[in-house]
Amino acid sequence: MPARIPASILVSVVPLSLPPRAARVRPVAETAGVGLAGLGVYGAVGHLGFLPYPALQLAVLATGTGIFALRRRLPGAVLLVLAALTGLVPAVGPVTAAAAYSVARRMARPRLRARLLAGAGLLLVVCATAAGPRLGPGSAAYGLALGLALAPTAVIVPGLIGTAQGQQGRLLRALRERGDAAERARRLADSEARIHERSRIAAEMHDLVGHRLSLVSLHAGGLELALEQAAPELREEAVLVRRTTRDAMRELRQALGVLGPLGRDTGPDALTDATGTRADIEALVAQSRDGGIAVRLDWTGPDLDARPAPVRRAVHRVVREALTNVHRYAPDAHVGVTVVHDDALVRVTVRNGARPGPPATAEEPGTGRGLTGLRERVELLGGTFGAAALPAGGFRVDAAVPAEPAAGPDPRRTNDPNGPDPHRTDDANGPDPYHANDPAGPDPAAAPGADRRRTAEALTLGFGLAALSALMVVGIAFVYAAQPSGRSGPAPLPRVGMTYGEVAALGVQDNGAVRAAATGHEPPRPAGTAGCVYPFNGATERHPGGLLIARYCFDAAQRLIAIDRFDVPSVRDATPWEIP
């Protein structure tokens, strides 16, 4: 990258930057948002009872949130550190997800981005596996499961979303730059066409005015010789006229400059007294007919030989350029050339119909500058010009030139019968963006609806982060809920020496019905008994003719001292018809 940035680039970048206050507030808001998302995961996991060492996890979460603020300066390092912290403390997951999205969106190199995301995900899994026995679910296997559950939601999915968003933004910027470049190229081509035509006009003015001034100088010289004998006192006046004419010629050349071959018409295109007259137009039509074009000329009104040379020259140029385009693009079409001349206006219309076959392909495609030059020439005379394709096929060129151009023609007139030209860049159709102060064009951020788009994008990202946080909580809960409880096989049975609380924890509870059934049928209680429990579930069994009852006797210290089982006879169930 060069050390110095061109001024044009600086001018184009400044309008796209955020205002100073928004530039300061936005990073703080983003950091606070991801910190709140991490606190949400921290609170949800703690509410479910899966939060060991809560103070340590809260401190790590605060550290990760602070590191997140450095993601623009050290994107790769920040993402890797946050991934490692997420493996140790799952509540940092939302912070890591936001960092993965931001880093992937801004990173343009695909291989480096893929390696960074893969490395961050692998580092998260390794750290979660290593921290499982101490800070995690309880074993390395369950730590690995926790890391595999967090890696997609905290690194992979946000990184892929950021990659897609970044590629879309870069593609839009590239398309916008290509469009701007194409627009600048078109404007430069139009400007070149105008300069070319103005050079021709300047050459014509040089020839016409120079010719007239040369005649004035010649006649002044003859008058000087004649007055030398007839009226010597007037000879000095003739000398003054000749010298003034000579000075005017020199100043004219200095003003117009030496235009060279671009500014002078030579050969058959040279300006003559017959240029633009009816005979000249008929000659152009005849040349087209000799070339195989079916051309018809309709002339209404007197000849143009009495009109100013710029008017005749414009008529000649319009007809010649239109017929040249017909030769190039529609050689099989019928062409109509119409010239209407009255006291105020000279209207020239060249119209060709559609070709009977497919459109012709020009061997040398035109640049499109000819029509632009014609427009410039006609409008400099105060006229109007229009060129457009016809709905039924074909093309039409129409020019209206004042018969006597004003001294100061307005090149921005908009009374074109065909409407304003969409390719115009002067004030006739509005301000010229090519000459605007901002070379980068309008600011996209200042366009209508930009604030709504930014708000919608922020809301979308917020909802996405909330959804990822919820998925993280679900994954953490599943892993912690699936961890072993430390007890395998069937539940242990009560044994002598246990306390009453331990026996009750095994499901041994006193049952009033069983106690009533055992009354009067139980064996004597052991010595030192303070009370007995007669459970039902799992201890009382029914068999034909009686019940097998279990009795758990406790001493005064609530210690189990005896477990007795004895039979109690049962009453035979009578059928309904045997009941009196």
Side-chain angles (χ1 to χ4, degrees):
M1 181 178 292
R4 298 181 61 186
I5 302 177
S8 60
I9 297 180
L10 291 177
V11 173
S12 62
V13 170
V14 168
L16 298 179
S17 62
L18 292 173
R21 182 177 180 183
R24 293 192 301 267
V25 171
R26 181 174 178 179
V28 176
E30 292 176 348
T31 305
V34 298
L36 290 176
L39 284 177
V41 174
Y42 174 86
V45 174
H47 179 72
L48 296 175
F50 305 134
L51 191 65
Y53 307 104
L56 176 62
Q57 296 207 20
L58 187 60
V60 174
L61 174 59
T63 303
T65 305
I67 295 175
F68 174 79
L70 304 176
R71 69 193 182 283
R72 298 182 186 272
R73 298 181 181 180
L74 304 171
V78 167
L79 179 58
L80 293 176
V81 171
L82 290 177
L85 293 180
T86 304
L88 302 176
V89 177
V92 189
V95 183
T96 306
Y101 170 83
S102 178
V103 172
R105 181 175 182 178
R106 294 177 178 274
M107 189 169 293
R109 298 172 59 183
R111 292 186 178 179
L112 179 60
R113 181 177 57 242
R115 292 173 182 173
L116 182 60
L117 293 176
L122 180 61
L123 182 61
L124 190 154
V125 173
V126 171
C127 292
T129 304
R134 296 176 178 85
L135 301 177
S139 65
Y142 282 89
L144 175 63
L146 181 61
L148 294 176
L150 289 176
T153 55
V155 177
I156 305 302
V157 173
L160 294 178
I161 297 175
T163 300
Q165 290 288 335
Q167 289 179 347
Q168 180 182 8
R170 287 187 287 271
L171 177 61
L172 290 177
R173 284 193 296 271
L175 292 177
R176 187 180 295 110
E177 291 174 358
R178 291 186 61 182
D180 293 341
E183 182 66 17
R184 287 194 297 269
R186 185 190 65 79
R187 290 169 180 167
L188 289 175
D190 292 347
S191 177
E192 182 180 352
R194 290 188 175 92
I195 293 174
H196 190 279
E197 195 65 22
R198 288 172 182 175
S199 299
R200 291 180 183 272
I201 295 171
E204 295 169 11
M205 185 172 64
H206 178 275
D207 295 339
L208 290 173
V209 179
H211 176 66
R212 301 300 181 189
L213 291 177
S214 298
L215 292 178
V216 172
S217 179
L218 180 62
H219 288 297
L223 181 61
E224 178 184 354
L225 294 176
L227 292 176
E228 185 177 4
Q229 299 295 332
E233 67 278 5
L234 297 177
R235 180 177 176 274
E236 292 299 328
E237 298 294 335
V239 172
L240 179 61
V241 171
R242 181 172 56 82
R243 290 178 179 175
T244 304
T245 305
R246 183 185 60 191
D247 293 341
M249 283 287 296
R250 184 178 66 256
E251 293 173 355
L252 177 64
R253 290 190 181 96
Q254 292 177 354
L256 297 180
V258 182
L259 300 178
L262 178 64
R264 295 184 179 273
D265 288 338
T266 58
D269 294 335
L271 178 63
T272 64
D273 292 337
T275 299
T277 61
R278 182 167 185 171
D280 179 52
I281 302 303
E282 289 176 348
L284 292 176
V285 171
Q287 291 176 3
S288 296
R289 288 173 181 166
D290 294 340
I293 305 296
V295 186
R296 184 184 74 257
L297 173 62
D298 294 330
W299 188 290
T300 303
D303 202 346
L304 298 177
D305 51 358
R307 294 302 179 186
V311 175
R312 293 185 283 109
R313 189 66 166 172
V315 173
H316 174 88
R317 289 281 190 185
V318 170
V319 175
R320 189 179 69 180
E321 181 68 24
L323 292 178
T324 300
N325 289 338
V326 171
H327 277 274
R328 178 174 296 171
Y329 300 108
D332 299 336
H334 292 274
V335 185
V337 179
T338 304
V339 180
V340 180
H341 175 208
D342 53 29
D343 295 338
L345 200 67
V346 180
R347 180 178 293 275
V348 182
T349 303
V350 181
R351 177 174 179 173
N352 64 276
R355 298 185 68 241
T361 303
E363 296 180 359
E364 297 181 359
T367 61
R369 303 177 187 176
L371 296 178
T372 303
L374 288 181
R375 181 186 300 279
E376 182 75 9
R377 175 182 288 271
V378 171
E379 292 182 349
L380 284 174
L381 296 175
T384 59
F385 180 86
L390 299 174
F395 203 82
R396 174 176 176 174
V397 176
D398 185 86
V401 185
E404 295 292 338
D410 183 6
R412 300 177 297 175
R413 294 175 59 184
T414 57
N415 55 350
D416 189 349
N418 294 324
D421 181 13
H423 301 295
R424 289 278 301 279
T425 57
D426 54 16
D427 291 339
N429 292 333
D432 184 4
Y434 183 67
H435 297 92
N437 294 329
D438 184 7
D443 183 6
D451 293 337
R452 291 194 297 271
R453 288 194 297 270
R454 285 197 295 267
T455 302
E457 181 180 1
L459 291 176
T460 302
L461 295 178
F463 284 127
L465 183 60
L468 288 176
S469 301
L471 290 177
M472 292 178 195
V473 172
V474 172
I476 295 170
F478 271 116
V479 172
Y480 271 86
Q483 66 178 332
S485 60
R487 183 179 63 190
S488 60
L493 297 176
R495 64 181 181 276
V496 176
M498 287 184 172
T499 63
Y500 175 78
E502 293 175 345
V503 175
L506 298 178
V508 178
Q509 301 291 335
D510 187 56
N511 186 274
V514 178
R515 176 184 290 273
T519 302
H521 301 283
E522 60 180 319
R525 296 181 177 183
T529 300
C532 297
V533 174
Y534 302 85
F536 177 78
N537 293 334
T540 303
E541 299 179 4
R542 182 175 181 180
H543 56 83
L547 295 175
L548 178 62
I549 296 177
R551 184 182 65 183
Y552 297 82
C553 296
F554 297 85
D555 58 8
Q558 296 187 354
R559 292 283 179 178
L560 182 63
I561 60 176
I563 302 175
D564 301 320
R565 289 181 173 80
F566 52 91
D567 288 328
V568 175
S570 62
V571 180
R572 184 177 67 86
D573 294 335
T575 58
W577 51 84
E578 293 179 347
I579 298 176

